[in-house]
Amino acid sequence: LEEHNVKLIGTTALTIKKAEDRLEFKTTMEKIGEPCAPSLVVENVEDGIEFTNKIGYPVVLRPAYTMGGEGGGLVYNVEELKTVCARGLQASMVGQVLVEESILGWEELELEVVRDAKNNMITVCFIENIDPLGVHTGDSFCSAPMLTISEEVQKRLQEKSYKIVEAIQVIGGTNVQWAHDPKTDRDIV
């Protein structure tokens, strides 16, 4: 972009990196005090196996810079981990896969947030995935607005989503996805 004197309008390249690079995102969330599931970015299958042996199965594998979960998935044993991690490393344009503790069965909630360059924000809609975590968002039945989620939880997630969108510096629309454990009232991004 610099070579051709192209300037991005709105969201910057750094913002895209903070949102799409798994390690950058996790680091940003740690800085603002928003918890993520225990995870490690790996660049080879062996490191993925070693980390998973520490936290236990199942784990979710999320390749960096892919769309729609391409190359990733939920794995329940070392053989699946070897296959899916290798596939994810190949699918990732930067050769990275996030190995993350599974939160299978939690509620999956989403907020569509729009932010302008002056830090004005609005939540366009609150989305409740009817299926629990474990069903890919694109394949899940959804409700907008949220129907079974308390106003208190919705308000808390909105405040946290605004904090995240501001920290990442999104200008325009973004989807902030949350996992919520109704048993403990714990939220992770």
CSV table of all heavy atoms in Angstrom, one decimal, residues 3 15 23 31 37 61 64 67 89 92-94 101 104 113 119 124 129 140 146 161 175:
chain,number,residue,atom,x,y,z
A,3,GLU,N,3.9,1.6,-1.2
A,3,GLU,CA,4.6,1.7,-2.5
A,3,GLU,C,3.8,2.4,-3.5
A,3,GLU,O,4.3,3.2,-4.3
A,3,GLU,CB,4.9,0.3,-2.9
A,3,GLU,CG,5.6,0.2,-4.3
A,3,GLU,CD,5.9,-1.2,-4.8
A,3,GLU,OE1,6.0,-2.1,-3.9
A,3,GLU,OE2,5.9,-1.4,-6.0
A,15,THR,N,-5.6,-2.4,12.7
A,15,THR,CA,-6.9,-2.9,13.3
A,15,THR,C,-7.2,-4.3,12.7
A,15,THR,O,-7.6,-5.1,13.5
A,15,THR,CB,-8.0,-1.9,12.9
A,15,THR,OG1,-7.8,-0.6,13.6
A,15,THR,CG2,-9.4,-2.4,13.3
A,23,LEU,N,-2.9,-14.2,18.0
A,23,LEU,CA,-2.0,-13.8,19.1
A,23,LEU,C,-2.2,-12.3,19.4
A,23,LEU,O,-2.3,-11.9,20.6
A,23,LEU,CB,-0.6,-14.1,18.8
A,23,LEU,CG,0.4,-13.8,20.0
A,23,LEU,CD1,0.0,-14.6,21.2
A,23,LEU,CD2,1.8,-14.2,19.5
A,31,LYS,N,-4.7,-7.0,27.6
A,31,LYS,CA,-4.5,-5.6,28.0
A,31,LYS,C,-5.7,-4.9,28.6
A,31,LYS,O,-5.6,-4.0,29.4
A,31,LYS,CB,-3.9,-4.8,26.8
A,31,LYS,CG,-2.5,-5.1,26.5
A,31,LYS,CD,-2.0,-4.3,25.3
A,31,LYS,CE,-0.6,-4.7,24.9
A,31,LYS,NZ,-0.2,-4.0,23.6
A,37,ALA,N,-10.6,-17.9,26.3
A,37,ALA,CA,-10.3,-19.2,26.8
A,37,ALA,C,-8.8,-19.5,26.8
A,37,ALA,O,-8.1,-18.9,25.9
A,37,ALA,CB,-11.0,-20.2,25.8
A,61,LEU,N,-9.4,-25.8,17.3
A,61,LEU,CA,-8.2,-25.3,16.5
A,61,LEU,C,-8.7,-24.2,15.6
A,61,LEU,O,-9.7,-24.4,14.8
A,61,LEU,CB,-7.6,-26.4,15.7
A,61,LEU,CG,-7.1,-27.6,16.6
A,61,LEU,CD1,-6.5,-28.7,15.7
A,61,LEU,CD2,-6.2,-27.2,17.7
A,64,ALA,N,-5.2,-18.9,11.8
A,64,ALA,CA,-5.1,-17.4,11.7
A,64,ALA,C,-5.4,-17.0,10.2
A,64,ALA,O,-5.0,-17.7,9.3
A,64,ALA,CB,-3.8,-16.9,12.1
A,67,MET,N,-11.4,-17.6,6.8
A,67,MET,CA,-12.8,-17.2,6.9
A,67,MET,C,-13.7,-18.4,7.2
A,67,MET,O,-13.4,-19.5,6.6
A,67,MET,CB,-13.3,-16.5,5.7
A,67,MET,CG,-12.6,-15.1,5.4
A,67,MET,SD,-12.9,-13.9,6.7
A,67,MET,CE,-14.5,-13.5,6.4
A,89,LEU,N,-2.7,-25.3,9.7
A,89,LEU,CA,-1.4,-24.6,9.5
A,89,LEU,C,-1.3,-24.4,8.0
A,89,LEU,O,-0.8,-23.3,7.6
A,89,LEU,CB,-0.2,-25.5,10.0
A,89,LEU,CG,-0.1,-25.6,11.5
A,89,LEU,CD1,0.9,-26.7,11.9
A,89,LEU,CD2,0.3,-24.2,12.1
A,92,SER,N,-3.8,-21.5,7.0
A,92,SER,CA,-3.4,-20.2,7.5
A,92,SER,C,-2.3,-19.5,6.6
A,92,SER,O,-1.3,-20.1,6.4
A,92,SER,CB,-2.9,-20.3,8.9
A,92,SER,OG,-2.4,-19.0,9.3
A,93,MET,N,-2.6,-18.3,6.2
A,93,MET,CA,-1.6,-17.6,5.4
A,93,MET,C,-0.4,-17.2,6.1
A,93,MET,O,0.7,-16.9,5.5
A,93,MET,CB,-2.2,-16.4,4.7
A,93,MET,CG,-2.7,-15.3,5.6
A,93,MET,SD,-3.7,-14.0,4.9
A,93,MET,CE,-2.4,-13.0,4.2
A,94,VAL,N,-0.4,-17.3,7.5
A,94,VAL,CA,0.8,-17.0,8.3
A,94,VAL,C,1.3,-18.2,9.0
A,94,VAL,O,2.2,-18.1,9.8
A,94,VAL,CB,0.5,-15.8,9.3
A,94,VAL,CG1,0.3,-14.5,8.5
A,94,VAL,CG2,-0.6,-16.2,10.2
A,101,GLU,N,-8.9,-24.1,24.6
A,101,GLU,CA,-9.8,-24.9,25.4
A,101,GLU,C,-11.2,-24.9,24.9
A,101,GLU,O,-11.7,-23.8,24.5
A,101,GLU,CB,-9.8,-24.3,26.9
A,101,GLU,CG,-10.8,-25.0,27.8
A,101,GLU,CD,-10.9,-24.3,29.1
A,101,GLU,OE1,-11.2,-23.1,29.1
A,101,GLU,OE2,-10.7,-25.0,30.1
A,104,LEU,N,-17.4,-26.0,24.7
A,104,LEU,CA,-18.6,-26.7,24.1
A,104,LEU,C,-19.8,-26.7,25.0
A,104,LEU,O,-19.7,-27.0,26.2
A,104,LEU,CB,-18.2,-28.2,23.8
A,104,LEU,CG,-19.0,-29.0,22.9
A,104,LEU,CD1,-19.1,-28.4,21.5
A,104,LEU,CD2,-18.5,-30.4,22.9
A,113,VAL,N,-21.8,-4.3,16.2
A,113,VAL,CA,-21.5,-3.0,16.7
A,113,VAL,C,-21.0,-2.2,15.5
A,113,VAL,O,-20.2,-2.6,14.7
A,113,VAL,CB,-20.5,-3.1,17.8
A,113,VAL,CG1,-20.1,-1.7,18.3
A,113,VAL,CG2,-21.0,-3.9,19.0
A,119,ASN,N,-15.4,7.7,17.8
A,119,ASN,CA,-15.7,6.8,18.9
A,119,ASN,C,-17.1,6.7,19.3
A,119,ASN,O,-17.5,6.3,20.4
A,119,ASN,CB,-14.8,7.0,20.1
A,119,ASN,CG,-14.6,5.8,20.9
A,119,ASN,OD1,-14.5,4.7,20.4
A,119,ASN,ND2,-14.6,5.9,22.2
A,124,VAL,N,-26.2,-2.5,16.6
A,124,VAL,CA,-27.3,-2.6,15.6
A,124,VAL,C,-28.2,-3.7,16.0
A,124,VAL,O,-29.4,-3.6,15.8
A,124,VAL,CB,-26.6,-2.9,14.2
A,124,VAL,CG1,-27.7,-3.2,13.1
A,124,VAL,CG2,-25.7,-1.8,13.8
A,129,ASN,N,-27.5,-17.3,19.4
A,129,ASN,CA,-27.5,-18.5,18.7
A,129,ASN,C,-28.3,-19.5,19.5
A,129,ASN,O,-28.0,-19.7,20.7
A,129,ASN,CB,-26.0,-19.0,18.5
A,129,ASN,CG,-25.3,-18.2,17.5
A,129,ASN,OD1,-25.1,-18.6,16.4
A,129,ASN,ND2,-24.8,-17.0,17.9
A,140,SER,N,-25.8,-22.3,12.6
A,140,SER,CA,-26.6,-22.3,13.8
A,140,SER,C,-27.9,-21.5,13.6
A,140,SER,O,-27.9,-20.5,12.9
A,140,SER,CB,-25.9,-21.6,15.0
A,140,SER,OG,-26.6,-21.6,16.1
A,146,MET,N,-32.1,-11.0,21.0
A,146,MET,CA,-32.0,-12.2,22.0
A,146,MET,C,-33.3,-12.3,22.7
A,146,MET,O,-33.9,-11.4,23.1
A,146,MET,CB,-30.9,-11.9,23.0
A,146,MET,CG,-29.5,-11.8,22.4
A,146,MET,SD,-28.2,-11.4,23.6
A,146,MET,CE,-26.8,-11.4,22.6
A,161,SER,N,-18.3,-5.2,24.7
A,161,SER,CA,-18.1,-5.1,23.3
A,161,SER,C,-17.6,-3.7,22.8
A,161,SER,O,-16.7,-3.6,22.0
A,161,SER,CB,-19.4,-5.5,22.5
A,161,SER,OG,-19.8,-6.8,22.8
A,175,ASN,N,-18.6,-7.7,14.2
A,175,ASN,CA,-19.4,-8.7,15.0
A,175,ASN,C,-18.5,-9.1,16.1
A,175,ASN,O,-17.4,-9.6,15.9
A,175,ASN,CB,-19.7,-9.9,14.0
A,175,ASN,CG,-20.4,-11.0,14.7
A,175,ASN,OD1,-19.7,-11.9,15.3
A,175,ASN,ND2,-21.7,-11.0,14.7
